[in-house]
Amino acid sequence: MAPEIHMSDPVCLIENFNEHLKVNQEALEILSAITQPVVVVAIVGLYRTGKSYLLNKLSGKNKGFSVASTVQSHTKGIWIWCMPHPNRPNHTLVLLDTEGLGDVEKADNKNDIQIFALALLLSSTFVYNTMNKIDQGAIDLLHNVTELTDLLKARTSPDLDRVEDAADSESFFPDLVWTLRDFCLDLEIDGQLITADAYLENSLRPKQGSDQRVQNFNLPRLCIQKFFPKKKCFIFDLPAHQKKLAQLETLPDDELEHEFVQQVAEFCSYIFSHSMTKTLPGGIKVNGSRLKNLVLTYVNGISSGDLPCIENTVLALAQIENSAAVQKAVAHYDQQMGQKVQLPTETLQELLDLHRDSEREAIEVFMKNSFKDVDQSFQKELETLLDAKRNDICKQNLEASSDRCSALLTDIFGPLEEAVKQGIYSKPGGHNLFIQKMEELKTKYYQEPRKGIQAEEVLQKYLKSKKSVSDAILQADQALTEKEKKMKEEQVKAEAAKANARRLEEIQKWNQHMMQQRERVHQEQVRQMEREKQNWLAELQRTQEQRMQEQAAQLTATFEAENRRLHHELQHVQRNVNCDDPCVLL
């Protein structure tokens, strides 16, 4: 829902200084902030006829627009007061109070016609405020509309009865509300009571006839009927006693005439319920921004002395609105791309998809804010701008990708370049080490995210730029490798000779060791044989001694046995020979 505008007091919309019109920037800023459709009620009439009082009543306040009681015109230029519409949700009611017409202090009525024209052109309901009754003077004053046809250069023909002209007028000119102040007549024709509307229609009815006098009489009436097909009339009694009129805006309702209070209430009710949204030909609803552009268009036209025609005014407004719509669409595109796009994108398609989404939204913004782009020239302009934006963002994407990749290469390959400068790879086999390191760093580079579409091209360009470095390392590697090869061959020969000498020495040591081992074995065998010999001799001696002992023992035993036998035999003899002859005994 669009935000509502709440103005505490009216502000001057169009200043009238020395009968020169100038737009007030503060009021334009207020209008620019109104996104809702506007219902514009403007009041025009002679000065000192109570116009401002009626608008204050429409605002719901007693004070607002300046109300004075002197013979001097009080309101200068056109003042504006914006507020939420009391009956139409999401609509803004715009009240325009105009400088009084017929100010005797003005040099001529040219400035009056300009004020009249602006109120007529800007409003959707045009309140024409006059005094007492509808008379020829009031009709002639309103007949300024015919003079406005010259100022407006509207697409009209002298034939006021042409239907298409009436349709043009009806689609652009506001509804007419004629207010009669201090009305003192009886609403009666031929003895019959009539309404205020019937009184207005009767006053504007042309006469029959074709002479110049009748034509002069009919011309302003036909003009009014042509430009204002929808008309309404309100009459107002004198609001209070003449002495109290100076304090009219401060008087409470109970001190005013009851009929007047009721008439004001009916007027306000009608305005609130019947006043339409300001609409341009083609059904174009006017919001605050468009109303601002209308103000600028008409005031500039009047200041230059060449007020544009209705058709050209709509075209001029379309030019302003559609140009602004293009700017809004481009701003929306920029905002969306700024929020969605993070350069560089991984692929071109990713960027183009984001562009198409933002482009679609931008066109939707344009369609929402544009009108009467009949030949789609502004939409084509927008598409051209968006194409340029696409090309520019693609170029930025390329540059961002190149910058990102260049920064990565510097960060990743920087230490390698420093190592090359320090001669770390200037050695045999250095080229292979350099190539291995390059491959490792390339893998690391490929693993880095969001390098963009220039990743491979920038890498290949970098590698190409480093080919001379690689070739130099290879040449140094080859030269150093050949030298090292010869040195290694000599070293191998020397080491082989040393190894052979060591081998001979080891063989000699082995032979010596083996001889010593054999000598030790021989000595051990000799000692073993000696031990065995000694053991055999000892064993032989033991055997011989044992045999001798056994023989001795055997001889001893034999002897003892023999002795025992002899003894036994002796005893036996002794027993058998019982003789005492000792010789026998012996």
Side-chain angles (χ1 to χ4, degrees):
M1 181 181 294
E4 294 181 343
I5 298 296
H6 294 272
M7 295 174 59
S8 58
D9 295 292
V11 298
C12 184
L13 173 62
I14 301 172
E15 301 172 356
N16 188 13
F17 183 73
N18 291 333
E19 301 184 23
H20 176 72
L21 303 181
K22 179 182 177 182
V23 179
N24 180 21
Q25 188 62 35
E26 178 187 358
L28 294 183
E29 292 175 359
I30 294 173
L31 288 177
S32 296
I34 300 174
T35 59
Q36 298 176 340
V38 293
V39 176
V40 186
V41 179
I43 191 166
V44 174
L46 296 174
Y47 77 104
R48 309 269 35 88
T49 56
K51 302 184 305 298
S52 301
Y53 178 84
L54 286 181
L55 289 186
N56 286 339
K57 288 301 181 182
L58 288 175
S59 73
K61 298 181 180 180
N62 289 329
K63 292 184 178 181
F65 291 110
S66 178
V67 176
S69 57
T70 66
V71 296
Q72 187 178 28
S73 176
H74 210 253
T75 301
K76 294 295 182 181
I78 298 179
W79 287 66
I80 187 171
W81 201 355
C82 305
M83 59 199 65
H85 197 288
N87 288 12
R88 294 176 182 265
N90 302 322
H91 282 68
T92 297
L93 177 62
V94 178
L95 303 178
L96 298 180
D97 191 15
T98 63
E99 180 176 339
L101 306 177
D103 187 354
V104 295
E105 296 180 5
K106 292 184 179 181
D108 54 37
N109 66 348
K110 178 181 177 180
N111 190 242
D112 285 349
I113 293 175
Q114 293 175 342
I115 297 293
F116 193 104
L118 286 170
L120 182 67
L121 294 168
L122 297 175
S123 63
S124 55
T125 296
F126 181 75
V127 180
Y128 183 43
N129 193 66
T130 63
M131 295 297 292
N132 305 126
K133 63 183 181 299
I134 300 175
D135 56 17
Q136 190 62 41
I139 294 175
D140 287 340
L141 184 59
L142 187 56
H143 177 233
N144 283 318
V145 173
T146 59
E147 297 184 48
L148 288 176
T149 58
D150 292 330
L151 275 173
L152 293 172
K153 298 180 181 176
R155 292 175 298 146
T156 59
S157 71
D159 184 1
L160 298 175
D161 296 326
R162 288 182 58 182
V163 175
E164 58 269 25
D165 289 339
D168 287 339
S169 301
E170 186 175 358
S171 66
F172 186 80
F173 282 88
D175 297 339
L176 173 64
V177 176
W178 197 317
T179 54
L180 296 171
R181 309 299 294 277
D182 301 345
F183 189 74
C184 56
L185 302 178
D186 293 329
L187 288 176
E188 181 179 317
I189 296 179
D190 298 331
Q192 298 292 325
L193 295 177
I194 59 173
T195 63
D197 292 337
Y199 173 57
L200 175 59
E201 291 297 332
N202 185 70
S203 300
L204 297 178
R205 185 176 294 115
K207 293 181 177 181
Q208 298 295 325
S210 58
D211 57 40
Q212 187 62 45
R213 186 179 62 83
V214 171
Q215 289 184 14
N216 292 339
F217 178 86
N218 290 342
L219 180 61
R221 289 165 172 80
L222 291 173
C223 284
I224 293 172
Q225 291 188 12
K226 168 187 168 54
F227 287 112
F228 303 105
K230 185 176 180 180
K231 298 177 287 294
K232 180 70 177 177
C233 183
F234 286 92
I235 61 172
F236 296 90
D237 291 346
L238 191 69
H241 191 275
Q242 186 70 33
K243 293 182 179 180
K244 294 183 177 181
L245 293 181
Q247 296 84 34
L248 181 60
E249 67 177 2
T250 61
L251 290 177
D253 287 350
D254 57 4
E255 293 189 29
L256 299 173
E257 293 294 333
H258 175 72
E259 289 78 4
F260 176 78
V261 173
Q262 184 176 357
Q263 291 162 351
V264 170
E266 291 174 356
F267 166 78
C268 293
S269 176
Y270 177 85
I271 295 296
F272 292 149
S273 59
H274 289 80
S275 293
M276 305 302 293
T277 302
K278 175 64 177 176
T279 305
L280 298 177
I284 302 166
K285 301 295 183 182
V286 175
N287 57 18
S289 178
R290 289 175 179 169
L291 183 60
K292 176 201 74 174
N293 291 330
L294 284 176
V295 171
L296 289 172
T297 299
Y298 289 129
V299 172
N300 291 337
I302 287 176
S303 298
S304 65
D306 184 20
L307 198 62
C309 68
I310 295 173
E311 180 183 22
N312 290 341
T313 298
V314 175
L315 292 177
L317 183 60
Q319 179 81 19
I320 296 171
E321 288 288 309
N322 290 334
S323 296
V326 169
Q327 293 176 3
K328 288 181 181 179
V330 171
H332 181 82
Y333 173 87
D334 289 339
Q335 180 188 39
Q336 291 301 306
M337 290 295 284
Q339 292 174 352
K340 296 176 181 178
V341 177
Q342 182 180 356
L343 297 180
T345 58
E346 289 291 354
T347 64
L348 177 60
Q349 190 59 46
E350 177 187 347
L351 180 62
L352 293 178
D353 289 342
L354 293 173
H355 161 76
R356 276 193 290 269
D357 292 342
S358 300
E359 180 183 44
R360 184 185 66 256
E361 293 182 17
I363 291 175
E364 290 175 357
V365 169
F366 171 78
M367 298 302 292
K368 181 180 179 182
N369 291 276
S370 65
F371 74 99
K372 293 191 76 66
D373 187 18
V374 180
D375 56 359
Q376 297 185 329
S377 60
F378 285 94
Q379 184 172 343
K380 292 175 182 177
E381 176 187 348
L382 173 61
E383 292 171 354
T384 300
L385 291 174
L386 295 181
D387 286 343
K389 291 278 186 181
R390 179 199 60 203
N391 294 336
D392 183 61
I393 195 70
C394 287
K395 181 179 178 182
Q396 291 180 34
N397 193 41
L398 286 174
E399 294 174 352
S401 177
S402 296
D403 293 344
R404 162 76 172 156
C405 293
S406 297
L408 280 176
L409 290 174
T410 300
D411 183 55
I412 294 173
F413 287 85
L416 176 61
E417 295 180 6
E418 186 63 29
V420 170
K421 292 179 181 179
Q422 294 176 2
I424 294 177
Y425 296 98
S426 298
K427 61 183 179 180
H431 185 258
N432 286 335
L433 295 176
F434 176 78
I435 294 300
Q436 290 176 6
K437 190 64 176 179
M438 287 286 287
E439 292 299 321
E440 291 176 8
L441 297 180
K442 281 169 61 178
T443 301
K444 183 178 180 182
Y445 172 80
Y446 283 127
Q447 291 173 347
E448 288 291 333
R450 304 205 67 81
K451 296 184 293 294
I453 60 180
Q454 290 291 92
E456 189 62 28
E457 181 177 339
V458 172
L459 175 62
Q460 293 306 319
K461 185 183 295 184
Y462 174 81
L463 296 178
K464 185 177 180 180
S465 70
K466 298 303 175 183
K467 188 177 184 304
S468 59
V469 176
S470 177
D471 292 342
I473 293 175
L474 177 59
Q475 292 175 1
D477 186 1
Q478 290 173 342
L480 292 171
T481 300
E482 184 64 26
K483 182 179 179 180
E484 187 181 56
K485 183 178 180 182
K486 292 179 180 180
M487 292 175 63
K488 283 188 176 181
E489 288 177 354
E490 294 175 357
Q491 184 179 0
V492 167
K493 291 178 181 179
E495 290 178 353
K498 290 180 181 179
N500 189 40
R502 285 195 299 270
R503 186 165 56 255
L504 292 174
E505 183 181 356
E506 289 174 356
I507 291 174
Q508 186 178 359
K509 288 181 179 180
W510 172 256
N511 290 336
Q512 185 179 358
H513 172 73
M514 290 304 294
M515 290 176 65
Q516 292 175 350
Q517 185 69 19
R518 283 196 294 271
E519 180 64 25
R520 283 195 297 272
V521 170
H522 175 71
Q523 293 296 327
E524 182 65 28
Q525 288 177 345
V526 171
R527 285 191 294 272
Q528 183 66 25
M529 290 174 66
E530 185 63 28
R531 283 193 298 272
E532 290 179 354
K533 179 181 178 182
Q534 293 298 327
N535 289 338
W536 180 80
L537 290 175
E539 182 66 24
L540 180 61
Q541 185 178 359
R542 282 193 302 273
T543 302
Q544 290 177 348
E545 287 177 355
Q546 185 175 4
R547 285 179 181 176
M548 289 177 68
Q549 287 176 356
E550 288 178 353
Q551 290 177 356
Q554 186 176 6
L555 288 176
T556 300
T558 301
F559 175 79
E560 288 178 352
E562 186 63 26
N563 189 35
R564 283 191 302 270
R565 184 184 67 77
L566 292 177
H567 179 72
H568 180 71
E569 287 181 357
L570 179 60
Q571 286 178 349
H572 182 68
V573 171
Q574 287 177 352
R575 282 186 306 265
N576 291 326
V577 178
N578 288 316
C579 71
D580 290 330
D581 184 3
C583 290
V584 174
L585 289 171
L586 290 170

PDB file of all heavy atoms in Angstrom, residues 57-79:
ATOM      1  N   LYS A  57     -13.454  23.755   4.451  1.00  0.00           N
ATOM      2  CA  LYS A  57     -14.480  22.803   4.872  1.00  0.00           C
ATOM      3  C   LYS A  57     -14.220  21.420   4.262  1.00  0.00           C
ATOM      4  O   LYS A  57     -14.412  20.390   4.903  1.00  0.00           O
ATOM      5  CB  LYS A  57     -15.868  23.309   4.480  1.00  0.00           C
ATOM      6  CG  LYS A  57     -16.353  24.485   5.311  1.00  0.00           C
ATOM      7  CD  LYS A  57     -16.415  24.099   6.794  1.00  0.00           C
ATOM      8  CE  LYS A  57     -16.910  25.244   7.659  1.00  0.00           C
ATOM      9  NZ  LYS A  57     -16.933  24.885   9.104  1.00  0.00           N
ATOM     10  N   LEU A  58     -13.766  21.408   3.016  1.00  0.00           N
ATOM     11  CA  LEU A  58     -13.430  20.119   2.389  1.00  0.00           C
ATOM     12  C   LEU A  58     -12.250  19.456   3.099  1.00  0.00           C
ATOM     13  O   LEU A  58     -12.162  18.222   3.149  1.00  0.00           O
ATOM     14  CB  LEU A  58     -13.086  20.324   0.908  1.00  0.00           C
ATOM     15  CG  LEU A  58     -14.254  20.654  -0.022  1.00  0.00           C
ATOM     16  CD1 LEU A  58     -13.738  20.953  -1.421  1.00  0.00           C
ATOM     17  CD2 LEU A  58     -15.253  19.492  -0.068  1.00  0.00           C
ATOM     18  N   SER A  59     -11.361  20.259   3.654  1.00  0.00           N
ATOM     19  CA  SER A  59     -10.211  19.702   4.360  1.00  0.00           C
ATOM     20  C   SER A  59     -10.579  19.190   5.739  1.00  0.00           C
ATOM     21  O   SER A  59      -9.790  18.491   6.376  1.00  0.00           O
ATOM     22  CB  SER A  59      -9.109  20.764   4.486  1.00  0.00           C
ATOM     23  OG  SER A  59      -9.475  21.746   5.455  1.00  0.00           O
ATOM     24  N   GLY A  60     -11.786  19.564   6.222  1.00  0.00           N
ATOM     25  CA  GLY A  60     -12.213  19.144   7.558  1.00  0.00           C
ATOM     26  C   GLY A  60     -11.695  20.057   8.648  1.00  0.00           C
ATOM     27  O   GLY A  60     -11.788  19.716   9.826  1.00  0.00           O
ATOM     28  N   LYS A  61     -11.127  21.193   8.258  1.00  0.00           N
ATOM     29  CA  LYS A  61     -10.582  22.118   9.240  1.00  0.00           C
ATOM     30  C   LYS A  61     -11.166  23.512   9.021  1.00  0.00           C
ATOM     31  O   LYS A  61     -11.565  23.861   7.917  1.00  0.00           O
ATOM     32  CB  LYS A  61      -9.060  22.177   9.133  1.00  0.00           C
ATOM     33  CG  LYS A  61      -8.377  20.844   9.423  1.00  0.00           C
ATOM     34  CD  LYS A  61      -6.863  20.973   9.326  1.00  0.00           C
ATOM     35  CE  LYS A  61      -6.188  19.644   9.621  1.00  0.00           C
ATOM     36  NZ  LYS A  61      -4.708  19.754   9.537  1.00  0.00           N
ATOM     37  N   ASN A  62     -11.175  24.258  10.101  1.00  0.00           N
ATOM     38  CA  ASN A  62     -11.680  25.628   9.986  1.00  0.00           C
ATOM     39  C   ASN A  62     -10.621  26.556   9.406  1.00  0.00           C
ATOM     40  O   ASN A  62     -10.944  27.564   8.768  1.00  0.00           O
ATOM     41  CB  ASN A  62     -12.129  26.156  11.357  1.00  0.00           C
ATOM     42  CG  ASN A  62     -13.397  25.480  11.842  1.00  0.00           C
ATOM     43  OD1 ASN A  62     -14.239  25.086  11.041  1.00  0.00           O
ATOM     44  ND2 ASN A  62     -13.517  25.309  13.159  1.00  0.00           N
ATOM     45  N   LYS A  63      -9.366  26.229   9.663  1.00  0.00           N
ATOM     46  CA  LYS A  63      -8.282  27.070   9.181  1.00  0.00           C
ATOM     47  C   LYS A  63      -7.357  26.256   8.289  1.00  0.00           C
ATOM     48  O   LYS A  63      -7.156  25.075   8.501  1.00  0.00           O
ATOM     49  CB  LYS A  63      -7.487  27.656  10.343  1.00  0.00           C
ATOM     50  CG  LYS A  63      -8.260  28.667  11.167  1.00  0.00           C
ATOM     51  CD  LYS A  63      -7.370  29.291  12.242  1.00  0.00           C
ATOM     52  CE  LYS A  63      -8.134  30.337  13.048  1.00  0.00           C
ATOM     53  NZ  LYS A  63      -7.276  30.969  14.086  1.00  0.00           N
ATOM     54  N   GLY A  64      -6.811  26.925   7.329  1.00  0.00           N
ATOM     55  CA  GLY A  64      -5.902  26.280   6.397  1.00  0.00           C
ATOM     56  C   GLY A  64      -5.584  27.251   5.292  1.00  0.00           C
ATOM     57  O   GLY A  64      -4.598  27.988   5.346  1.00  0.00           O
ATOM     58  N   PHE A  65      -6.458  27.263   4.296  1.00  0.00           N
ATOM     59  CA  PHE A  65      -6.341  28.278   3.249  1.00  0.00           C
ATOM     60  C   PHE A  65      -6.709  29.631   3.830  1.00  0.00           C
ATOM     61  O   PHE A  65      -7.613  29.748   4.661  1.00  0.00           O
ATOM     62  CB  PHE A  65      -7.251  27.935   2.067  1.00  0.00           C
ATOM     63  CG  PHE A  65      -6.807  26.726   1.294  1.00  0.00           C
ATOM     64  CD1 PHE A  65      -7.535  25.550   1.354  1.00  0.00           C
ATOM     65  CD2 PHE A  65      -5.661  26.757   0.510  1.00  0.00           C
ATOM     66  CE1 PHE A  65      -7.141  24.439   0.643  1.00  0.00           C
ATOM     67  CE2 PHE A  65      -5.261  25.646  -0.205  1.00  0.00           C
ATOM     68  CZ  PHE A  65      -5.993  24.474  -0.138  1.00  0.00           C
ATOM     69  N   SER A  66      -6.004  30.626   3.380  1.00  0.00           N
ATOM     70  CA  SER A  66      -6.156  31.957   3.946  1.00  0.00           C
ATOM     71  C   SER A  66      -7.533  32.520   3.631  1.00  0.00           C
ATOM     72  O   SER A  66      -7.982  32.531   2.477  1.00  0.00           O
ATOM     73  CB  SER A  66      -5.073  32.886   3.395  1.00  0.00           C
ATOM     74  OG  SER A  66      -5.236  34.187   3.896  1.00  0.00           O
ATOM     75  N   VAL A  67      -8.207  32.978   4.677  1.00  0.00           N
ATOM     76  CA  VAL A  67      -9.525  33.609   4.537  1.00  0.00           C
ATOM     77  C   VAL A  67      -9.412  35.012   5.128  1.00  0.00           C
ATOM     78  O   VAL A  67      -8.939  35.190   6.245  1.00  0.00           O
ATOM     79  CB  VAL A  67     -10.617  32.810   5.279  1.00  0.00           C
ATOM     80  CG1 VAL A  67     -11.959  33.539   5.189  1.00  0.00           C
ATOM     81  CG2 VAL A  67     -10.733  31.405   4.695  1.00  0.00           C
ATOM     82  N   ALA A  68      -9.831  36.016   4.352  1.00  0.00           N
ATOM     83  CA  ALA A  68      -9.743  37.397   4.837  1.00  0.00           C
ATOM     84  C   ALA A  68     -11.064  38.111   4.578  1.00  0.00           C
ATOM     85  O   ALA A  68     -11.896  37.660   3.804  1.00  0.00           O
ATOM     86  CB  ALA A  68      -8.593  38.135   4.158  1.00  0.00           C
ATOM     87  N   SER A  69     -11.196  39.239   5.212  1.00  0.00           N
ATOM     88  CA  SER A  69     -12.473  39.956   5.123  1.00  0.00           C
ATOM     89  C   SER A  69     -12.311  41.352   4.543  1.00  0.00           C
ATOM     90  O   SER A  69     -13.238  42.144   4.589  1.00  0.00           O
ATOM     91  CB  SER A  69     -13.079  40.064   6.536  1.00  0.00           C
ATOM     92  OG  SER A  69     -12.175  40.716   7.413  1.00  0.00           O
ATOM     93  N   THR A  70     -11.116  41.634   4.013  1.00  0.00           N
ATOM     94  CA  THR A  70     -10.909  42.967   3.443  1.00  0.00           C
ATOM     95  C   THR A  70     -11.204  42.937   1.955  1.00  0.00           C
ATOM     96  O   THR A  70     -11.419  41.892   1.349  1.00  0.00           O
ATOM     97  CB  THR A  70      -9.461  43.437   3.673  1.00  0.00           C
ATOM     98  OG1 THR A  70      -8.580  42.597   2.927  1.00  0.00           O
ATOM     99  CG2 THR A  70      -9.092  43.354   5.161  1.00  0.00           C
ATOM    100  N   VAL A  71     -11.154  44.117   1.334  1.00  0.00           N
ATOM    101  CA  VAL A  71     -11.427  44.215  -0.096  1.00  0.00           C
ATOM    102  C   VAL A  71     -10.208  43.848  -0.930  1.00  0.00           C
ATOM    103  O   VAL A  71     -10.280  43.823  -2.152  1.00  0.00           O
ATOM    104  CB  VAL A  71     -11.884  45.657  -0.460  1.00  0.00           C
ATOM    105  CG1 VAL A  71     -13.200  45.979   0.217  1.00  0.00           C
ATOM    106  CG2 VAL A  71     -10.810  46.683  -0.077  1.00  0.00           C
ATOM    107  N   GLN A  72      -9.093  43.538  -0.243  1.00  0.00           N
ATOM    108  CA  GLN A  72      -7.869  43.195  -0.961  1.00  0.00           C
ATOM    109  C   GLN A  72      -7.791  41.686  -1.152  1.00  0.00           C
ATOM    110  O   GLN A  72      -8.105  40.923  -0.249  1.00  0.00           O
ATOM    111  CB  GLN A  72      -6.646  43.685  -0.162  1.00  0.00           C
ATOM    112  CG  GLN A  72      -5.332  43.529  -0.921  1.00  0.00           C
ATOM    113  CD  GLN A  72      -4.176  44.064  -0.110  1.00  0.00           C
ATOM    114  OE1 GLN A  72      -4.201  44.070   1.122  1.00  0.00           O
ATOM    115  NE2 GLN A  72      -3.152  44.544  -0.803  1.00  0.00           N
ATOM    116  N   SER A  73      -7.355  41.299  -2.362  1.00  0.00           N
ATOM    117  CA  SER A  73      -7.199  39.876  -2.635  1.00  0.00           C
ATOM    118  C   SER A  73      -6.154  39.296  -1.695  1.00  0.00           C
ATOM    119  O   SER A  73      -5.085  39.860  -1.501  1.00  0.00           O
ATOM    120  CB  SER A  73      -6.757  39.669  -4.090  1.00  0.00           C
ATOM    121  OG  SER A  73      -6.525  38.315  -4.335  1.00  0.00           O
ATOM    122  N   HIS A  74      -6.466  38.128  -1.085  1.00  0.00           N
ATOM    123  CA  HIS A  74      -5.597  37.558  -0.061  1.00  0.00           C
ATOM    124  C   HIS A  74      -4.754  36.416  -0.598  1.00  0.00           C
ATOM    125  O   HIS A  74      -3.552  36.345  -0.331  1.00  0.00           O
ATOM    126  CB  HIS A  74      -6.444  37.093   1.128  1.00  0.00           C
ATOM    127  CG  HIS A  74      -5.722  37.173   2.430  1.00  0.00           C
ATOM    128  ND1 HIS A  74      -5.274  36.075   3.105  1.00  0.00           N
ATOM    129  CD2 HIS A  74      -5.343  38.258   3.179  1.00  0.00           C
ATOM    130  CE1 HIS A  74      -4.674  36.461   4.224  1.00  0.00           C
ATOM    131  NE2 HIS A  74      -4.696  37.776   4.297  1.00  0.00           N
ATOM    132  N   THR A  75      -5.379  35.481  -1.327  1.00  0.00           N
ATOM    133  CA  THR A  75      -4.642  34.353  -1.893  1.00  0.00           C
ATOM    134  C   THR A  75      -3.938  34.802  -3.170  1.00  0.00           C
ATOM    135  O   THR A  75      -4.544  35.393  -4.055  1.00  0.00           O
ATOM    136  CB  THR A  75      -5.600  33.189  -2.219  1.00  0.00           C
ATOM    137  OG1 THR A  75      -6.255  32.791  -1.020  1.00  0.00           O
ATOM    138  CG2 THR A  75      -4.831  32.009  -2.805  1.00  0.00           C
ATOM    139  N   LYS A  76      -2.635  34.518  -3.266  1.00  0.00           N
ATOM    140  CA  LYS A  76      -1.858  34.857  -4.437  1.00  0.00           C
ATOM    141  C   LYS A  76      -1.359  33.576  -5.095  1.00  0.00           C
ATOM    142  O   LYS A  76      -0.831  32.678  -4.428  1.00  0.00           O
ATOM    143  CB  LYS A  76      -0.656  35.745  -4.067  1.00  0.00           C
ATOM    144  CG  LYS A  76      -1.053  37.124  -3.551  1.00  0.00           C
ATOM    145  CD  LYS A  76      -1.753  37.948  -4.635  1.00  0.00           C
ATOM    146  CE  LYS A  76      -2.101  39.346  -4.129  1.00  0.00           C
ATOM    147  NZ  LYS A  76      -2.794  40.131  -5.164  1.00  0.00           N
ATOM    148  N   GLY A  77      -1.519  33.493  -6.405  1.00  0.00           N
ATOM    149  CA  GLY A  77      -1.099  32.299  -7.119  1.00  0.00           C
ATOM    150  C   GLY A  77      -2.055  31.144  -6.883  1.00  0.00           C
ATOM    151  O   GLY A  77      -3.273  31.329  -6.771  1.00  0.00           O
ATOM    152  N   ILE A  78      -1.513  29.942  -6.788  1.00  0.00           N
ATOM    153  CA  ILE A  78      -2.324  28.744  -6.526  1.00  0.00           C
ATOM    154  C   ILE A  78      -1.691  28.005  -5.360  1.00  0.00           C
ATOM    155  O   ILE A  78      -0.492  27.714  -5.377  1.00  0.00           O
ATOM    156  CB  ILE A  78      -2.397  27.820  -7.760  1.00  0.00           C
ATOM    157  CG1 ILE A  78      -3.072  28.553  -8.920  1.00  0.00           C
ATOM    158  CG2 ILE A  78      -3.144  26.538  -7.436  1.00  0.00           C
ATOM    159  CD1 ILE A  78      -3.168  27.715 -10.192  1.00  0.00           C
ATOM    160  N   TRP A  79      -2.512  27.694  -4.362  1.00  0.00           N
ATOM    161  CA  TRP A  79      -2.044  26.974  -3.180  1.00  0.00           C
ATOM    162  C   TRP A  79      -2.587  25.550  -3.210  1.00  0.00           C
ATOM    163  O   TRP A  79      -3.657  25.291  -3.760  1.00  0.00           O
ATOM    164  CB  TRP A  79      -2.486  27.697  -1.900  1.00  0.00           C
ATOM    165  CG  TRP A  79      -1.704  28.965  -1.666  1.00  0.00           C
ATOM    166  CD1 TRP A  79      -1.723  30.087  -2.433  1.00  0.00           C
ATOM    167  CD2 TRP A  79      -0.773  29.204  -0.614  1.00  0.00           C
ATOM    168  NE1 TRP A  79      -0.863  31.031  -1.939  1.00  0.00           N
ATOM    169  CE2 TRP A  79      -0.265  30.519  -0.803  1.00  0.00           C
ATOM    170  CE3 TRP A  79      -0.329  28.475   0.479  1.00  0.00           C
ATOM    171  CZ2 TRP A  79       0.669  31.087   0.059  1.00  0.00           C
ATOM    172  CZ3 TRP A  79       0.602  29.036   1.342  1.00  0.00           C
ATOM    173  CH2 TRP A  79       1.103  30.329   1.123  1.00  0.00           C
TER     174      TRP A  79
END
